């Protein structure tokens, strides 16, 4: 990129973030004033229309908030949570989730290298049941020799995709968990809508933050939203109300969205857009060995437009 183009991009980004406080406040205000259609705060009217058509229209009830969801919202949320695991690696910990029958994603700052992945484990069902009792967990090794692609935390998209290896402990087979495909579809989110995050905050058992968490700003690579997160939440999936993954949570404040030393608001969480991750994976596909290309192609095919993105039970062949 030429110096002039870099300078223009920096100026454009500075202008965007200089307006971000006012813009995000306006999104919040508009969403609160329109509880039946909070996504009307989305500035891109074409995106807003696509998002609303997919929802099937707006609710008729008015009030301080409209939080009706079909009862399946709970069962589907429980189902997608099976795909989410606690990640423990040398010197770091976080969250992550399956994106295909064999591939797992988290942040690069959680699993930075193949060596970190080789020394790490993922633990499913690290959570309490309805009686407050700890479930029996199942732990798996990671297999970076079978697949490993990462994008750096600084100057990149802060993700690592790695293959899952053999089971170390527990009674549950990998085939009995689920996966949440990632997609670059353009009807999954709109500013003003709520987001939902399933995570392992402070390395504790799995927790969920629901609904009252506004998506307030978007960039080409990141989403900014107001929600609760903590150390250990890195690598969590950010969902819309249909339980589509819209971002990979990675920071409790803007990070990828920053340019140089630009001062921007820090009271917002940031996630990497799945569309940006999908685009980066497609760009890097041809650099991979054939066996890894096959695994990547299978994962990306699960989220292509026109195919359902809802999680499914894993079937190993």
């Amino acid at each position: 990129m030429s110096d002039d183009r870099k300078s223009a991009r920096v100026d454009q980004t500075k202008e965007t973030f200089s307006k971000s406080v006012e813009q995000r406040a306006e999104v919040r205000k508009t969403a609160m004033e329109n509880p039946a259609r909070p996504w009307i705060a989305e500035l891109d009217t074409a995106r807003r229309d696509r998002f609303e058509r997919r929802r099937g229209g707006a609710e008729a009830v008015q009030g301080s908030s409209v939080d009706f969801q079909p009862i399946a919202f709970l069962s589907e949320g429980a189902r997608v949570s099976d795909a989410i695991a606690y990640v423990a690696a040398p010197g770091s910990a976080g969250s992550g989730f399956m994106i295909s029958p064999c591939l797992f994603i988290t942040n690069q700052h959680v699993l930075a290298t193949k060596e970190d992945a080789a020394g790490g484990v993922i633990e499913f069902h690290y959570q309490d049941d309805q009686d407050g009792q700890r479930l029996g967990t199942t732990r798996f090794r990671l297999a970076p020799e079978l697949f490993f692609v990462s994008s750096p935390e600084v100057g990149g998209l802060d993700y690592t995709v790695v293959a899952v290896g053999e089971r170390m402990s527990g009674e549950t087979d990998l085939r009995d968990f689920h996966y949440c495909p990632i997609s670059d579809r353009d009807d999954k989110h709109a500013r003003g809508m709520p987001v939902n995050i399933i995570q392992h905050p402070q390395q504790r058992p799995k927790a969920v933050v629901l609904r009252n968490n506004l998506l307030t700003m978007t960039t080409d690579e990141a989403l900014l939203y107001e929600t609760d997160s903590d150390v250990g939440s890195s690598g969590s999936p950010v969902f819309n109300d249909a339980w589509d993954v819209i971002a990979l949570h990675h920071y409790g404040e803007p990070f990828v969205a920053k340019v140089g030393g630009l001062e921007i608001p820090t009271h917002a969480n940031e996630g990497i857009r799945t569309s940006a991750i999908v685009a980066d994976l497609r760009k890097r596909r041809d650099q991979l060995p054939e066996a890894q290309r096959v695994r990547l192609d299978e994962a990306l095919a699960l989220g292509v437009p026109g195919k359902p993105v809802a999680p499914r039970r894993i079937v190993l062949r």
Side-chain angles (χ1 to χ4, degrees):
M1 184 181 294
S2 69
D3 290 343
D4 289 343
R5 289 182 63 193
K6 287 181 180 178
S7 178
R9 183 175 180 182
V10 168
D11 289 343
Q12 181 181 20
T13 305
K14 285 183 178 180
E15 181 181 359
T16 297
F17 280 106
S18 69
K19 298 177 180 177
S20 67
V21 175
E22 179 181 348
Q23 183 185 91
R24 289 167 56 214
E26 184 62 27
V27 167
R28 190 182 305 108
K29 179 175 180 290
T30 302
M32 293 299 99
E33 290 176 348
N34 296 272
R37 298 174 66 215
W39 54 86
I40 201 171
E42 172 59 56
L43 302 179
D44 184 337
T45 56
R47 173 180 286 277
R48 183 183 68 202
D49 291 345
R50 287 191 297 270
F51 179 80
E52 187 162 66
R53 281 197 300 272
R54 184 162 182 247
R55 285 186 58 92
E59 295 88 350
V61 178
Q62 300 291 330
S64 60
S65 66
V66 174
D67 292 322
F68 289 131
Q69 290 294 321
I71 195 64
F73 176 80
L74 298 177
S75 57
E76 191 68 5
R79 194 160 75 104
V80 301
S81 75
D82 276 348
I84 299 159
Y86 173 70
V87 184
S92 67
S95 306
F97 60 101
M98 300 294 296
I99 61 171
S100 81
C102 64
L103 297 184
F104 184 84
I105 190 169
T106 186
N107 291 140
Q108 193 267 348
H109 74 256
V110 175
L111 294 176
T113 65
K114 286 185 176 181
E115 291 71 27
D116 290 335
V121 298
I122 58 175
E123 187 171 355
F124 292 92
H125 282 172
Y126 174 36
Q127 62 195 68
D128 296 334
D129 65 15
Q130 62 269 25
D131 298 318
Q133 302 299 310
R134 191 64 45 84
L135 288 179
T137 62
T138 301
R139 304 170 79 219
F140 291 87
R141 298 187 190 279
L142 296 171
E145 71 279 6
L146 298 180
F147 190 96
F148 185 90
V149 174
S150 70
S151 179
E153 174 187 14
V154 179
L157 298 178
D158 192 18
Y159 75 81
T160 289
V161 178
V162 61
V164 179
E166 64 182 4
R167 184 173 61 186
M168 298 174 62
S169 64
E171 302 297 326
T172 308
D173 292 332
L174 188 60
R175 73 183 71 222
D176 294 320
F177 294 104
H178 293 92
Y179 57 91
C180 299
I182 55 175
S183 163
D184 61 355
R185 280 177 26 215
D186 61 2
D187 62 351
K188 301 193 306 297
H189 64 77
R191 275 172 281 197
M193 65 166 242
V195 300
N196 309 299
I197 304 180
I198 303 176
Q199 55 189 297
H200 287 281
Q202 293 187 342
Q203 304 174 31
R204 296 196 306 265
K206 193 181 295 176
V208 60
V209 179
L210 294 173
R211 303 286 298 151
N212 287 323
N213 313 294
L214 290 181
L215 172 61
T216 58
M217 189 172 178
T218 66
T219 72
D220 288 344
E221 297 178 336
L223 302 180
L224 300 183
Y225 40 89
E226 300 171 354
T227 189
D228 295 327
S229 64
D230 212 326
V231 176
S233 301
S234 295
S236 302
V238 182
F239 296 101
N240 62 18
D241 280 347
W243 296 108
D244 300 324
V245 183
I246 61 173
L248 176 70
H249 176 76
H250 82 132
Y251 256 75
E253 62 181 60
F255 183 83
V256 166
K258 289 181 179 177
V259 173
L262 182 64
E263 292 295 327
I264 61 175
T266 59
H267 52 283
N269 282 264
E270 183 183 78
I272 304 301
R273 294 175 64 159
T274 55
S275 56
I277 294 173
V278 168
D280 192 61
L281 287 168
R282 285 177 176 154
K283 182 173 65 176
R284 302 170 67 176
R285 175 195 179 276
D286 292 342
Q287 304 168 18
L288 299 174
E290 181 179 0
Q292 296 196 31
R293 289 200 301 271
V294 170
R295 290 184 173 91
L296 179 59
D297 289 345
E298 289 175 346
L300 295 182
L302 297 172
V304 298
K307 291 189 177 182
V309 183
R312 313 160 201 178
R313 184 166 298 280
I314 291 173
V315 178
L316 298 182
R317 294 192 293 270

Coordinates of all heavy atoms in Angstrom, one line a residue, residues 209-273:
V209 N -24.0 -14.7 28.7 CA -24.6 -13.4 28.8 C -25.6 -13.2 27.7 O -25.2 -13.3 26.5 CB -23.4 -12.3 28.7 CG1 -24.0 -10.9 28.9 CG2 -22.4 -12.6 29.8
L210 N -26.8 -12.8 28.1 CA -27.9 -12.8 27.1 C -28.5 -11.4 26.9 O -28.6 -10.7 27.9 CB -29.0 -13.8 27.6 CG -28.7 -15.2 27.6 CD1 -29.9 -16.0 28.3 CD2 -28.5 -15.8 26.2
R211 N -28.8 -11.1 25.7 CA -29.8 -10.2 25.3 C -29.5 -8.7 25.5 O -29.4 -7.9 24.6 CB -31.2 -10.5 25.9 CG -31.7 -11.9 25.7 CD -32.2 -12.0 24.3 NE -33.4 -11.1 24.1 CZ -33.7 -10.5 22.9 NH1 -33.0 -10.8 21.8 NH2 -34.7 -9.7 22.8
N212 N -29.4 -8.2 26.8 CA -29.2 -6.8 27.0 C -27.8 -6.3 26.7 O -27.1 -5.8 27.6 CB -29.7 -6.4 28.4 CG -31.1 -6.5 28.6 OD1 -31.9 -6.1 27.7 ND2 -31.6 -6.9 29.7
N213 N -27.3 -6.6 25.5 CA -25.9 -6.3 25.2 C -25.9 -5.8 23.7 O -26.0 -6.6 22.8 CB -25.1 -7.6 25.2 CG -25.3 -8.4 26.5 OD1 -25.0 -7.9 27.6 ND2 -25.9 -9.5 26.4
L214 N -25.9 -4.5 23.6 CA -26.1 -3.9 22.2 C -24.9 -4.0 21.4 O -23.8 -3.7 21.8 CB -26.6 -2.4 22.4 CG -28.0 -2.2 22.9 CD1 -28.2 -0.7 23.0 CD2 -29.0 -2.8 22.1
L215 N -25.1 -4.3 20.1 CA -24.1 -4.1 19.1 C -24.2 -2.7 18.6 O -25.2 -2.2 18.1 CB -24.4 -5.0 17.9 CG -23.5 -4.8 16.6 CD1 -22.0 -5.1 16.9 CD2 -24.0 -5.8 15.5
T216 N -23.1 -1.9 18.9 CA -23.2 -0.4 18.7 C -22.3 0.1 17.5 O -22.5 1.2 17.1 CB -22.8 0.3 20.0 OG1 -21.4 -0.1 20.3 CG2 -23.7 0.0 21.1
M217 N -21.4 -0.7 17.1 CA -20.5 -0.2 16.0 C -19.9 -1.3 15.2 O -19.6 -2.4 15.8 CB -19.4 0.7 16.6 CG -18.6 1.4 15.6 SD -17.5 2.6 16.4 CE -16.6 3.3 14.9
T218 N -19.6 -1.1 14.0 CA -19.0 -2.1 13.1 C -17.8 -1.5 12.3 O -17.9 -0.3 12.0 CB -20.0 -2.8 12.1 OG1 -20.4 -1.8 11.2 CG2 -21.2 -3.3 12.9
T219 N -16.8 -2.3 12.1 CA -15.8 -1.9 11.1 C -15.6 -3.0 10.2 O -16.3 -4.1 10.3 CB -14.4 -1.6 11.8 OG1 -13.8 -2.9 12.3 CG2 -14.6 -0.7 13.0
D220 N -14.7 -2.9 9.2 CA -14.6 -4.0 8.2 C -14.1 -5.3 8.9 O -14.4 -6.4 8.4 CB -13.5 -3.7 7.2 CG -14.0 -2.6 6.2 OD1 -15.3 -2.4 6.2 OD2 -13.2 -2.0 5.5
E221 N -13.4 -5.2 10.0 CA -12.8 -6.4 10.7 C -13.4 -6.7 12.0 O -13.3 -7.8 12.5 CB -11.3 -6.2 10.8 CG -10.6 -6.1 9.5 CD -9.1 -5.9 9.6 OE1 -8.7 -5.4 10.7 OE2 -8.4 -6.3 8.7
A222 N -14.1 -5.8 12.7 CA -14.5 -6.0 14.1 C -15.9 -5.5 14.3 O -16.5 -4.6 13.6 CB -13.5 -5.2 15.0
L223 N -16.5 -6.0 15.4 CA -17.8 -5.6 15.9 C -17.5 -5.1 17.3 O -16.8 -5.7 18.1 CB -18.8 -6.7 16.0 CG -19.2 -7.4 14.7 CD1 -20.2 -8.5 14.9 CD2 -19.7 -6.4 13.7
L224 N -18.1 -3.9 17.7 CA -18.0 -3.4 19.1 C -19.4 -3.5 19.7 O -20.4 -3.1 19.1 CB -17.6 -1.9 19.0 CG -16.2 -1.7 18.4 CD1 -15.9 -0.2 18.5 CD2 -15.1 -2.5 19.0
Y225 N -19.4 -4.0 20.9 CA -20.7 -4.3 21.6 C -20.5 -4.1 23.1 O -19.4 -4.2 23.7 CB -21.2 -5.7 21.3 CG -20.1 -6.8 21.3 CD1 -19.7 -7.4 22.5 CD2 -19.4 -7.1 20.1 CE1 -18.7 -8.3 22.5 CE2 -18.4 -8.0 20.1 CZ -18.0 -8.6 21.3 OH -17.0 -9.5 21.3
E226 N -21.7 -3.9 23.8 CA -21.7 -3.6 25.2 C -22.2 -4.9 25.9 O -23.3 -5.3 25.7 CB -22.6 -2.5 25.6 CG -22.2 -1.2 24.9 CD -23.2 -0.1 25.1 OE1 -24.3 -0.4 25.6 OE2 -23.0 1.0 24.7
T227 N -21.3 -5.6 26.6 CA -21.6 -6.8 27.3 C -20.7 -7.1 28.4 O -19.8 -6.3 28.7 CB -21.6 -8.0 26.2 OG1 -22.2 -9.2 26.8 CG2 -20.2 -8.3 25.8
D228 N -20.9 -8.2 29.1 CA -20.0 -8.6 30.2 C -19.0 -9.6 29.7 O -19.4 -10.6 29.1 CB -20.8 -9.1 31.4 CG -21.7 -8.0 32.0 OD1 -21.3 -6.9 32.0 OD2 -22.7 -8.4 32.5
S229 N -17.7 -9.4 30.0 CA -16.7 -10.5 29.7 C -15.6 -10.3 30.8 O -15.6 -9.3 31.5 CB -16.2 -10.3 28.3 OG -15.5 -9.1 28.2
D230 N -14.7 -11.2 30.8 CA -13.6 -11.2 31.7 C -12.5 -12.0 31.2 O -12.6 -12.7 30.2 CB -14.1 -11.7 33.1 CG -13.4 -11.0 34.3 OD1 -12.2 -10.7 34.2 OD2 -14.1 -10.8 35.3
V231 N -11.4 -12.0 32.0 CA -10.3 -12.9 31.6 C -10.8 -14.3 31.5 O -11.5 -14.8 32.3 CB -9.2 -12.8 32.7 CG1 -8.0 -13.8 32.4 CG2 -8.6 -11.4 32.9
G232 N -10.4 -15.0 30.4 CA -10.9 -16.3 30.1 C -12.0 -16.3 29.1 O -12.3 -17.4 28.5
S233 N -12.5 -15.1 28.8 CA -13.6 -15.0 27.8 C -13.0 -15.0 26.3 O -13.8 -15.1 25.4 CB -14.5 -13.8 28.0 OG -15.1 -13.8 29.3
S234 N -11.7 -14.7 26.2 CA -11.1 -14.7 24.9 C -11.4 -15.9 24.1 O -11.1 -17.0 24.6 CB -9.6 -14.4 25.0 OG -9.3 -13.2 25.6
G235 N -11.8 -15.8 22.9 CA -12.1 -16.9 22.0 C -13.5 -17.4 22.0 O -13.9 -18.4 21.4
S236 N -14.4 -16.7 22.8 CA -15.8 -17.1 22.9 C -16.5 -16.7 21.6 O -16.2 -15.7 21.0 CB -16.5 -16.4 24.1 OG -15.8 -16.7 25.3
P237 N -17.6 -17.5 21.2 CA -18.4 -17.1 20.1 C -19.4 -16.0 20.5 O -20.0 -16.0 21.6 CB -19.1 -18.4 19.7 CG -19.2 -19.1 21.0 CD -17.9 -18.8 21.8
V238 N -19.6 -15.0 19.6 CA -20.6 -14.0 19.8 C -21.8 -14.4 18.9 O -21.6 -14.5 17.7 CB -20.1 -12.6 19.5 CG1 -21.1 -11.5 19.7 CG2 -18.8 -12.3 20.3
F239 N -23.0 -14.5 19.5 CA -24.1 -15.0 18.7 C -25.2 -13.9 18.5 O -25.3 -13.0 19.4 CB -24.8 -16.1 19.4 CG -24.0 -17.4 19.6 CD1 -23.4 -17.7 20.8 CD2 -23.9 -18.3 18.6 CE1 -22.7 -18.8 21.0 CE2 -23.2 -19.5 18.7 CZ -22.6 -19.7 20.0
N240 N -26.0 -14.0 17.5 CA -27.2 -13.3 17.4 C -28.3 -14.1 18.0 O -28.0 -15.2 18.6 CB -27.5 -12.9 15.9 CG -27.7 -14.1 15.0 OD1 -28.0 -15.2 15.5 ND2 -27.7 -13.9 13.7
D241 N -29.6 -13.7 17.9 CA -30.6 -14.4 18.6 C -31.0 -15.7 17.9 O -31.8 -16.5 18.5 CB -31.9 -13.5 18.7 CG -31.7 -12.5 19.9 OD1 -30.8 -12.7 20.8 OD2 -32.5 -11.6 20.0
A242 N -30.5 -15.9 16.7 CA -30.8 -17.1 16.0 C -29.6 -18.1 16.3 O -29.6 -19.2 15.7 CB -30.9 -16.9 14.5
W243 N -28.7 -17.7 17.2 CA -27.5 -18.5 17.5 C -26.6 -18.7 16.3 O -25.9 -19.8 16.2 CB -27.9 -19.9 18.2 CG -28.6 -19.7 19.5 CD1 -30.0 -19.9 19.7 CD2 -28.1 -19.2 20.7 NE1 -30.2 -19.5 21.0 CE2 -29.1 -19.1 21.7 CE3 -26.8 -18.8 21.1 CZ2 -28.9 -18.7 23.0 CZ3 -26.6 -18.4 22.4 CH2 -27.6 -18.3 23.3
D244 N -26.6 -17.8 15.4 CA -25.5 -17.7 14.4 C -24.3 -17.1 15.0 O -24.5 -16.0 15.7 CB -25.9 -16.9 13.2 CG -27.2 -17.4 12.5 OD1 -27.3 -18.7 12.4 OD2 -28.0 -16.6 12.0
V245 N -23.1 -17.6 14.7 CA -21.9 -16.9 15.2 C -21.7 -15.7 14.3 O -21.6 -15.8 13.1 CB -20.7 -17.8 15.1 CG1 -19.5 -17.1 15.7 CG2 -20.9 -19.1 15.9
I246 N -21.5 -14.5 15.0 CA -21.3 -13.3 14.2 C -19.9 -12.7 14.4 O -19.4 -11.9 13.7 CB -22.3 -12.2 14.5 CG1 -22.3 -11.8 16.0 CG2 -23.7 -12.6 14.1 CD1 -23.2 -10.6 16.3
A247 N -19.2 -13.2 15.5 CA -17.9 -12.7 15.8 C -17.2 -13.6 16.8 O -17.8 -14.4 17.5 CB -17.9 -11.3 16.4
L248 N -15.8 -13.5 16.8 CA -15.0 -14.2 17.7 C -14.5 -13.2 18.8 O -13.7 -12.3 18.5 CB -13.8 -14.8 17.0 CG -12.7 -15.5 17.9 CD1 -13.2 -16.8 18.4 CD2 -11.4 -15.8 17.0
H249 N -15.1 -13.3 20.0 CA -14.7 -12.3 21.0 C -13.2 -12.4 21.3 O -12.7 -13.5 21.5 CB -15.5 -12.6 22.3 CG -15.1 -11.7 23.4 ND1 -15.5 -10.3 23.5 CD2 -14.4 -11.9 24.5 CE1 -15.0 -9.8 24.6 NE2 -14.3 -10.7 25.2
H250 N -12.6 -11.2 21.5 CA -11.2 -11.3 21.8 C -10.7 -10.2 22.8 O -9.6 -10.4 23.4 CB -10.3 -11.3 20.6 CG -10.1 -10.0 20.0 ND1 -8.8 -9.6 19.6 CD2 -10.9 -9.0 19.7 CE1 -8.9 -8.3 19.1 NE2 -10.1 -8.0 19.1
Y251 N -11.4 -9.2 23.0 CA -10.9 -8.1 23.9 C -12.0 -7.4 24.6 O -13.1 -7.3 24.0 CB -10.1 -7.1 23.0 CG -8.6 -7.2 23.2 CD1 -7.9 -8.2 22.6 CD2 -7.9 -6.3 24.0 CE1 -6.6 -8.4 22.7 CE2 -6.5 -6.5 24.2 CZ -5.9 -7.5 23.5 OH -4.5 -7.7 23.7
G252 N -11.8 -6.9 25.8 CA -12.7 -6.1 26.5 C -12.7 -4.7 26.2 O -13.4 -3.8 26.8
E253 N -12.0 -4.3 25.1 CA -12.0 -2.9 24.6 C -11.5 -3.0 23.2 O -11.0 -4.0 22.7 CB -11.0 -2.1 25.4 CG -9.5 -2.5 25.3 CD -8.6 -1.7 26.2 OE1 -8.8 -1.6 27.4 OE2 -7.7 -1.1 25.6
P254 N -11.7 -1.9 22.4 CA -11.3 -1.9 21.0 C -9.8 -2.2 20.9 O -9.0 -1.6 21.7 CB -11.6 -0.5 20.5 CG -12.8 -0.1 21.4 CD -12.5 -0.7 22.7
F255 N -9.4 -3.0 20.0 CA -8.0 -3.4 19.8 C -7.7 -3.4 18.3 O -6.9 -2.6 17.8 CB -7.7 -4.7 20.4 CG -6.3 -5.1 20.4 CD1 -5.4 -4.7 21.3 CD2 -5.8 -6.0 19.4 CE1 -4.0 -5.1 21.3 CE2 -4.5 -6.4 19.3 CZ -3.6 -5.9 20.3
V256 N -8.2 -4.3 17.6 CA -8.0 -4.4 16.1 C -8.5 -3.1 15.5 O -7.9 -2.6 14.5 CB -8.8 -5.6 15.5 CG1 -8.8 -5.5 14.0 CG2 -8.1 -6.9 15.9
A257 N -9.5 -2.5 16.0 CA -10.1 -1.3 15.5 C -9.2 -0.1 15.7 O -9.4 1.0 15.0 CB -11.4 -1.0 16.1
K258 N -8.1 -0.1 16.5 CA -7.3 1.0 16.7 C -6.3 1.2 15.6 O -5.9 0.3 14.9 CB -6.5 0.8 18.0 CG -7.3 0.9 19.3 CD -6.4 0.7 20.5 CE -7.2 0.8 21.8 NZ -6.4 0.5 23.0
V259 N -5.9 2.5 15.4 CA -4.9 2.9 14.4 C -3.9 3.7 15.2 O -4.2 4.8 15.7 CB -5.5 3.7 13.2 CG1 -4.4 4.2 12.4 CG2 -6.5 2.8 12.4
G260 N -2.6 3.2 15.2 CA -1.6 4.0 15.8 C -1.9 4.3 17.3 O -2.4 3.4 18.0
G261 N -1.7 5.5 17.7 CA -1.9 5.9 19.1 C -3.3 6.6 19.2 O -3.5 7.3 20.2
L262 N -4.2 6.4 18.3 CA -5.4 7.1 18.3 C -6.2 6.8 19.5 O -6.4 5.7 19.9 CB -6.3 6.7 17.1 CG -7.6 7.4 16.9 CD1 -7.4 8.9 16.6 CD2 -8.4 6.7 15.7
E263 N -6.7 7.9 20.2 CA -7.5 7.7 21.4 C -9.0 7.4 21.0 O -9.6 8.3 20.3 CB -7.4 8.9 22.3 CG -6.1 9.1 22.9 CD -5.7 8.1 23.9 OE1 -6.6 7.5 24.5 OE2 -4.5 7.7 24.0
I264 N -9.5 6.3 21.4 CA -10.9 6.0 21.1 C -11.5 5.4 22.3 O -10.8 5.0 23.3 CB -11.0 4.9 19.9 CG1 -10.3 3.6 20.3 CG2 -10.4 5.5 18.6 CD1 -10.5 2.5 19.3
P265 N -12.8 5.4 22.4 CA -13.5 4.9 23.6 C -13.1 3.4 23.9 O -12.9 2.6 23.0 CB -15.0 4.9 23.2 CG -15.1 5.9 22.1 CD -13.8 5.8 21.4
T266 N -13.0 3.2 25.2 CA -12.6 1.8 25.6 C -13.7 1.1 26.3 O -13.5 -0.1 26.7 CB -11.4 1.9 26.6 OG1 -11.7 2.6 27.7 CG2 -10.2 2.4 25.9
H267 N -14.9 1.7 26.5 CA -16.0 1.1 27.2 C -16.8 0.2 26.2 O -18.1 0.4 26.1 CB -16.8 2.1 28.0 CG -17.3 3.2 27.1 ND1 -16.5 4.3 26.8 CD2 -18.5 3.5 26.6 CE1 -17.1 5.1 26.1 NE2 -18.4 4.7 25.9
A268 N -16.2 -0.6 25.5 CA -16.9 -1.5 24.6 C -16.1 -2.7 24.3 O -14.8 -2.7 24.3 CB -17.2 -0.8 23.2
N269 N -16.7 -3.9 24.3 CA -16.0 -5.1 23.9 C -15.8 -5.2 22.4 O -16.6 -4.6 21.7 CB -16.8 -6.3 24.4 CG -16.7 -6.6 25.9 OD1 -15.9 -7.4 26.3 ND2 -17.5 -5.9 26.7
E270 N -14.9 -6.0 22.0 CA -14.6 -6.1 20.6 C -14.5 -7.6 20.2 O -13.9 -8.4 20.9 CB -13.3 -5.4 20.2 CG -13.0 -5.5 18.7 CD -11.6 -4.9 18.4 OE1 -10.6 -5.5 18.6 OE2 -11.6 -3.7 17.9
G271 N -15.1 -8.0 19.1 CA -15.0 -9.3 18.5 C -14.6 -9.2 17.0 O -14.9 -8.2 16.4
I272 N -13.9 -10.2 16.6 CA -13.5 -10.2 15.1 C -14.6 -10.8 14.3 O -15.1 -11.8 14.6 CB -12.2 -11.1 15.0 CG1 -11.1 -10.6 15.8 CG2 -11.8 -11.0 13.5 CD1 -10.7 -9.1 15.6
R273 N -15.0 -10.0 13.3 CA -16.1 -10.5 12.5 C -15.8 -11.8 11.8 O -14.7 -12.1 11.3 CB -16.5 -9.5 11.4 CG -17.0 -8.2 12.0 CD -17.2 -7.1 10.9 NE -18.2 -7.5 9.9 CZ -18.8 -6.6 9.1 NH1 -18.5 -5.3 9.2 NH2 -19.7 -7.0 8.3

